[in-house]
Amino acid sequence: MMQTIEMSGTNVLVLSAQGTPVATEADGNDVIGEAFSAGATLVAIPVERLGPDFLRLETRLAGTVFQKFVNYHLRCAIIGDVTTLLEGSKALRDFVRETNKGRSIWFLATIGDLEARLARENA
C-alpha cells in the first residue's frame, strides 16, 4: 500500500513498510514508475522495504537505484533507523552524511523529520 500526500508544496509518494522489497534495480524502476503515476516528485521509502543487500554499498544497488532517481528528477527519502547499519560501515556513514547534505537523497528517522526538512527547504 502507498499513498500520495502533499508536504510543504511537495507531492510525496509514501510507501508502506509492508510490500515488495526494493531488492533489485528492477524494483527501483517499479518505484519510480509508481511515483510518476502518482504525480509525486519525492518518494519516502521505509527502511523496512529495502532488500537485505540494498545498503551494502559494495553491491552498488543503492548507488544504481539512487542515480536513477536523480536522472528522472525524483527525490528519495529513506525513512527509519539505520543506526545499526551505520555502526558497521564507515563507507555507509560517509554516504549517508553526504547525501543528507544534498537535495536529492535523504536518510531521515521519521516521516515527521521529512515534513520538517521540506518545510525548511520550501520556506
Side-chain angles (χ1 to χ4, degrees), residues 13-103:
L13 177 66
V14 180
L15 302 184
S16 69
Q18 291 76 40
T20 304
V22 181
T24 66
E25 187 176 342
D27 297 331
N29 292 342
D30 290 343
V31 171
I32 289 169
E34 293 288 345
F36 278 116
S37 293
T41 57
L42 190 150
V43 179
I45 304 174
V47 71
E48 297 87 359
R49 283 289 291 274
L50 300 179
D53 292 334
F54 191 91
L55 292 177
R56 286 185 49 234
L57 296 184
E58 64 270 16
T59 68
R60 299 179 184 236
L61 179 58
T64 300
V65 171
F66 290 150
Q67 186 60 54
K68 285 188 180 215
F69 272 87
V70 171
N71 290 348
Y72 286 103
H73 305 286
L74 286 170
R75 297 189 290 171
C76 181
I78 303 300
I79 306 296
D81 184 8
V82 294
T83 305
T84 303
L85 296 170
L86 297 179
E87 290 170 355
S89 172
K90 180 184 181 316
L92 184 59
R93 274 193 311 273
D94 293 343
F95 180 76
V96 168
R97 185 181 60 252
E98 290 302 314
T99 58
N100 279 346
K101 290 179 184 178
R103 294 196 65 229

